[in-house]
Amino acid sequence: MANDAPPRWDRRMQQRLARGEAAALGELYDRFASLVHNLAHRVLEDEDAADRVTREVFGYAWENPDAYDPKQGSLRSWIATLAQRQAVHRLREAEARAAADPAGDGTAGDGTAGDGTAGARGGRTAEDIEERIREASVAARADYIVTSMPAPLRAALELAYFDRRDYRQTAAELGVTEDEARRRLRLGLQLLSTARAPLPEAGPPPGYGRAL
Protein backbone atom coordinates (compact mmCIF):
# COMPACT_ATOMS: atom_id res chain seq x y z
CA MET A 1 0.00 0.00 0.00
CA ALA A 2 1.00 3.64 -0.26
CA ASN A 3 3.04 5.26 2.52
CA ASP A 4 4.91 2.06 3.33
CA ALA A 5 8.64 2.53 3.60
CA PRO A 6 10.80 0.51 1.19
CA PRO A 7 11.41 -3.06 2.46
CA ARG A 8 15.12 -2.31 2.72
CA TRP A 9 14.37 0.49 5.19
CA ASP A 10 12.18 -1.85 7.22
CA ARG A 11 14.91 -4.47 7.51
CA ARG A 12 17.56 -1.91 8.32
CA MET A 13 15.36 -0.36 11.02
CA GLN A 14 14.74 -3.76 12.58
CA GLN A 15 18.48 -4.42 12.65
CA ARG A 16 19.21 -1.05 14.24
CA LEU A 17 16.58 -1.61 16.91
CA ALA A 18 18.03 -5.05 17.62
CA ARG A 19 21.42 -3.41 18.16
CA GLY A 20 19.85 -1.05 20.67
CA GLU A 21 20.32 2.17 18.69
CA ALA A 22 18.32 4.84 20.49
CA ALA A 23 18.43 7.01 17.37
CA ALA A 24 16.59 4.26 15.50
CA LEU A 25 13.77 4.36 18.03
CA GLY A 26 13.55 8.13 17.60
CA GLU A 27 13.37 7.74 13.83
CA LEU A 28 10.70 5.05 14.13
CA TYR A 29 8.70 7.26 16.48
CA ASP A 30 8.95 10.29 14.20
CA ARG A 31 7.72 8.26 11.25
CA PHE A 32 4.84 6.38 12.89
CA ALA A 33 3.81 8.16 16.11
CA SER A 34 0.92 10.04 14.52
CA LEU A 35 -0.33 6.83 12.89
CA VAL A 36 -0.27 4.98 16.22
CA HIS A 37 -1.87 7.81 18.17
CA ASN A 38 -4.63 8.33 15.61
CA LEU A 39 -5.50 4.64 15.50
CA ALA A 40 -5.53 4.40 19.30
CA HIS A 41 -7.65 7.53 19.63
CA ARG A 42 -10.12 6.19 17.06
CA VAL A 43 -10.67 3.16 19.29
CA LEU A 44 -10.44 4.74 22.74
CA GLU A 45 -11.80 8.24 22.10
CA ASP A 46 -9.51 9.57 24.82
CA GLU A 47 -6.30 11.57 24.45
CA ASP A 48 -4.53 10.28 27.55
CA ALA A 49 -5.42 6.67 26.79
CA ALA A 50 -4.16 7.09 23.20
CA ASP A 51 -0.91 8.57 24.54
CA ARG A 52 -0.51 5.55 26.80
CA VAL A 53 -1.02 3.12 23.93
CA THR A 54 1.47 5.05 21.83
CA ARG A 55 4.11 4.70 24.55
CA GLU A 56 3.35 1.00 24.92
CA VAL A 57 3.58 0.29 21.20
CA PHE A 58 6.97 1.93 20.78
CA GLY A 59 8.19 0.43 24.03
CA TYR A 60 7.28 -2.99 22.70
CA ALA A 61 8.90 -2.36 19.32
CA TRP A 62 12.08 -1.23 21.12
CA GLU A 63 12.20 -4.28 23.36
CA ASN A 64 11.02 -6.83 20.80
CA PRO A 65 12.28 -5.89 17.31
CA ASP A 66 12.60 -9.57 16.40
CA ALA A 67 8.81 -9.92 16.76
CA TYR A 68 8.53 -8.16 13.40
CA ASP A 69 8.66 -10.55 10.46
CA PRO A 70 9.36 -8.75 7.16
CA LYS A 71 7.87 -11.71 5.29
CA GLN A 72 4.47 -10.93 6.80
CA GLY A 73 4.31 -7.32 5.61
CA SER A 74 5.73 -3.85 6.07
CA LEU A 75 6.98 -2.40 9.33
CA ARG A 76 4.27 0.25 9.08
CA SER A 77 1.61 -2.44 8.89
CA TRP A 78 3.12 -4.27 11.88
CA ILE A 79 3.18 -1.08 13.96
CA ALA A 80 -0.43 -0.33 13.00
CA THR A 81 -1.51 -3.83 14.00
CA LEU A 82 0.23 -3.45 17.37
CA ALA A 83 -1.52 -0.12 17.89
CA GLN A 84 -4.96 -1.46 17.06
CA ARG A 85 -4.50 -4.60 19.16
CA GLN A 86 -3.24 -2.65 22.16
CA ALA A 87 -5.99 -0.05 21.89
CA VAL A 88 -8.64 -2.77 21.77
CA HIS A 89 -6.99 -4.44 24.76
CA ARG A 90 -7.12 -1.21 26.77
CA LEU A 91 -10.71 -0.56 25.71
CA ARG A 92 -11.69 -4.03 26.88
CA GLU A 93 -9.95 -3.36 30.22
CA ALA A 94 -11.80 -0.07 30.60
CA GLU A 95 -15.12 -1.70 29.80
CA ALA A 96 -14.44 -4.42 32.37
CA ARG A 97 -13.71 -1.77 35.02
CA ALA A 98 -16.91 0.03 34.11
CA ALA A 99 -18.89 -3.19 34.47
CA ALA A 100 -17.42 -3.59 37.96
CA ASP A 101 -18.26 0.05 38.77
CA PRO A 102 -21.84 0.64 37.64
CA ALA A 103 -22.07 3.69 39.90
CA GLY A 104 -19.53 5.41 37.66
CA ASP A 105 -17.55 6.94 40.54
CA GLY A 106 -14.17 6.13 38.97
CA THR A 107 -13.29 3.15 41.14
CA ALA A 108 -13.48 -0.55 40.40
CA GLY A 109 -14.64 -3.14 42.85
CA ASP A 110 -11.16 -3.33 44.38
CA GLY A 111 -11.02 0.44 44.92
CA THR A 112 -8.60 1.16 42.11
CA ALA A 113 -9.21 4.12 39.84
CA GLY A 114 -9.87 3.83 36.14
CA ASP A 115 -7.81 5.57 33.46
CA GLY A 116 -10.57 7.85 32.19
CA THR A 117 -10.97 6.05 28.87
CA ALA A 118 -14.03 7.35 27.10
CA GLY A 119 -16.70 4.88 26.12
CA ALA A 120 -16.47 2.72 29.23
CA ARG A 121 -19.90 2.72 30.82
CA GLY A 122 -21.58 0.48 33.34
CA GLY A 123 -24.92 -1.21 32.98
CA ARG A 124 -24.30 -2.81 29.59
CA THR A 125 -24.38 -6.46 28.67
CA ALA A 126 -21.33 -8.43 27.59
CA GLU A 127 -22.76 -8.44 24.07
CA ASP A 128 -23.05 -4.63 24.12
CA ILE A 129 -19.45 -4.31 25.24
CA GLU A 130 -18.13 -6.68 22.58
CA GLU A 131 -20.13 -4.86 19.90
CA ARG A 132 -18.65 -1.53 21.04
CA ILE A 133 -15.16 -3.00 20.89
CA ARG A 134 -15.79 -4.58 17.50
CA GLU A 135 -17.14 -1.34 16.03
CA ALA A 136 -14.20 0.68 17.36
CA SER A 137 -11.73 -1.85 16.01
CA VAL A 138 -13.34 -1.93 12.56
CA ALA A 139 -13.49 1.88 12.41
CA ALA A 140 -9.80 2.18 13.29
CA ARG A 141 -8.80 -0.42 10.72
CA ALA A 142 -10.95 1.23 8.04
CA ASP A 143 -9.23 4.56 8.75
CA TYR A 144 -5.85 2.89 8.38
CA ILE A 145 -6.83 1.19 5.13
CA VAL A 146 -8.13 4.41 3.58
CA THR A 147 -5.04 6.44 4.51
CA SER A 148 -2.74 3.65 3.33
CA MET A 149 -4.33 2.76 0.00
CA PRO A 150 -2.87 4.12 -3.25
CA ALA A 151 -3.81 7.74 -3.86
CA PRO A 152 -5.90 7.05 -7.02
CA LEU A 153 -8.12 4.60 -5.13
CA ARG A 154 -8.44 6.91 -2.15
CA ALA A 155 -9.41 9.86 -4.36
CA ALA A 156 -12.11 7.83 -6.09
CA LEU A 157 -13.59 6.66 -2.78
CA GLU A 158 -13.56 10.16 -1.32
CA LEU A 159 -15.42 11.55 -4.33
CA ALA A 160 -17.97 8.75 -4.36
CA TYR A 161 -18.70 8.44 -0.66
CA PHE A 162 -17.85 11.78 0.91
CA ASP A 163 -18.77 14.08 -1.98
CA ARG A 164 -21.63 11.85 -3.21
CA ARG A 165 -20.40 11.67 -6.80
CA ASP A 166 -21.55 8.83 -9.05
CA TYR A 167 -18.97 6.92 -11.07
CA ARG A 168 -19.50 9.14 -14.13
CA GLN A 169 -18.89 12.32 -12.11
CA THR A 170 -15.95 10.65 -10.38
CA ALA A 171 -14.44 9.77 -13.74
CA ALA A 172 -14.88 13.35 -15.00
CA GLU A 173 -13.31 14.93 -11.91
CA LEU A 174 -10.37 12.53 -11.93
CA GLY A 175 -9.88 12.81 -15.67
CA VAL A 176 -10.15 9.06 -16.26
CA THR A 177 -12.51 6.82 -18.18
CA GLU A 178 -15.72 5.57 -16.59
CA ASP A 179 -14.37 2.02 -16.68
CA GLU A 180 -11.26 3.15 -14.80
CA ALA A 181 -13.39 4.98 -12.23
CA ARG A 182 -15.44 1.84 -11.64
CA ARG A 183 -12.25 -0.23 -11.33
CA ARG A 184 -10.80 2.13 -8.74
CA LEU A 185 -14.01 2.15 -6.73
CA ARG A 186 -14.24 -1.63 -6.84
CA LEU A 187 -10.64 -2.10 -5.69
CA GLY A 188 -11.05 0.50 -2.95
CA LEU A 189 -14.16 -1.23 -1.65
CA GLN A 190 -12.40 -4.59 -1.73
CA LEU A 191 -9.64 -3.16 0.45
CA LEU A 192 -12.14 -1.60 2.82
CA SER A 193 -13.98 -4.90 3.18
CA THR A 194 -10.92 -6.34 4.93
CA ALA A 195 -11.50 -3.96 7.85
CA ARG A 196 -13.76 -6.58 9.40
CA ALA A 197 -11.12 -9.28 9.24
CA PRO A 198 -10.05 -10.42 12.74
CA LEU A 199 -6.67 -9.33 14.03
CA PRO A 200 -4.01 -12.04 14.13
CA GLU A 201 -3.51 -13.61 17.52
CA ALA A 202 -0.36 -12.84 19.46
CA GLY A 203 0.99 -14.07 22.76
CA PRO A 204 1.41 -11.71 25.73
CA PRO A 205 4.87 -10.12 25.74
CA PRO A 206 6.59 -9.80 29.13
CA GLY A 207 5.60 -6.67 31.02
CA TYR A 208 2.57 -5.82 28.91
CA GLY A 209 -0.05 -8.26 30.20
CA ARG A 210 -2.42 -9.75 27.63
CA ALA A 211 -1.75 -7.19 24.96
CA LEU A 212 0.12 -6.29 21.80
Side-chain angles (χ1 to χ4, degrees):
M1 285 186 181
N3 299 328
D4 280 342
R8 185 178 301 173
W9 184 92
D10 290 352
R11 291 192 294 270
R12 186 165 60 247
M13 174 58 67
Q14 182 185 38
Q15 293 165 357
R16 292 173 62 197
L17 291 171
R19 290 196 297 267
E21 292 186 26
L25 179 61
E27 186 177 336
L28 188 74
Y29 183 89
D30 288 344
R31 185 181 287 262
F32 298 131
S34 61
L35 167 69
V36 172
H37 189 276
N38 289 341
L39 286 172
H41 195 278
R42 189 73 164 90
V43 173
L44 297 164
E45 299 178 350
D46 181 89
E47 193 72 21
D48 291 340
D51 286 344
R52 176 186 182 184
V53 167
T54 301
R55 292 193 299 270
E56 290 171 337
V57 166
F58 286 100
Y60 179 73
W62 171 247
E63 295 173 10
N64 302 272
D66 291 339
Y68 167 59
D69 182 359
K71 295 179 181 178
Q72 299 299 315
S74 69
L75 187 59
R76 184 179 192 271
S77 180
W78 181 66
I79 291 290
T81 299
L82 290 179
Q84 185 182 355
R85 182 184 294 128
Q86 187 69 354
V88 168
H89 170 69
R90 292 304 179 192
L91 178 59
R92 184 168 276 114
E93 281 189 337
E95 294 286 4
R97 279 194 300 272
D101 177 31
D105 60 4
T107 59
D110 59 2
T112 58
D115 65 1
T117 303
R121 302 289 184 268
R124 291 192 289 179
T125 67
E127 291 78 8
D128 291 337
I129 291 171
E130 285 304 311
E131 182 61 24
R132 156 80 173 106
I133 291 168
R134 186 162 47 250
E135 288 177 355
S137 179
V138 169
R141 181 159 173 75
D143 282 354
Y144 172 72
I145 290 170
V146 169
T147 59
S148 302
M149 68 175 51
L153 303 189
R154 185 170 63 251
L157 283 178
E158 288 173 349
L159 285 170
Y161 292 97
F162 296 121
D163 296 337
R164 305 297 185 187
R165 303 289 197 271
D166 62 26
Y167 74 91
R168 292 186 178 87
Q169 292 170 324
T170 297
E173 293 207 24
L174 294 177
V176 299
T177 65
E178 293 178 4
D179 284 345
E180 175 63 13
R182 281 195 294 263
R183 187 189 71 85
R184 293 182 185 184
L185 289 170
R186 183 175 64 253
L187 290 175
L189 289 173
Q190 287 174 348
L191 288 172
L192 270 179
S193 70
T194 65
R196 293 191 175 276
L199 286 174
E201 293 296 327
Y208 290 87
R210 183 63 180 93
L212 296 172

